[in-house]
Amino acid sequence: MPHPAPSWASVHPSERLADAPVVRRSGRWWLVSPSGTLLASDPAFTGELDRFATDMAAADRAVADLHNGRDVSDTPVREARR
């Protein structure tokens, strides 16, 4: 019989890194599956996860900036009178 997963192992999709089966808790990366969790300890792998998470956060900020800019540009502009 498999060991029960920690209570935080059943994470919401929004908590995962780009829908990948990994989460970062207390500064450590964990691989998450329905059958349990595994601490990711390989420095090369966790370094890549760190870089990917940083890039995803930058992309999210860029998209938010675009949406904020679009909200301003969607405001109707009055025609100039001559």
Side-chain angles (χ1 to χ4, degrees):
M1 177 183 284
H3 296 285
S7 61
W8 59 263
S10 55
V11 297
H12 299 287
S14 62
E15 293 179 301
R16 295 178 186 253
L17 176 60
D19 294 330
V22 295
V23 295
R24 186 173 178 112
R25 295 283 168 96
S26 302
R28 302 170 104 182
W29 287 104
W30 293 85
L31 304 176
V32 180
S33 77
S35 62
T37 61
L38 176 68
L39 177 64
S41 59
D42 178 11
F45 180 62
T46 57
E48 287 299 317
L49 288 173
D50 288 335
R51 284 186 283 283
F52 186 58
T54 300
D55 290 345
M56 287 298 297
D60 288 343
R61 283 190 303 275
V63 169
D65 290 345
L66 287 173
H67 283 290
N68 290 337
R70 185 173 305 137
D71 290 344
V72 171
S73 66
D74 286 344
T75 304
V77 177
R78 293 183 182 177
E79 291 184 32
R81 292 187 180 170
R82 293 184 189 196

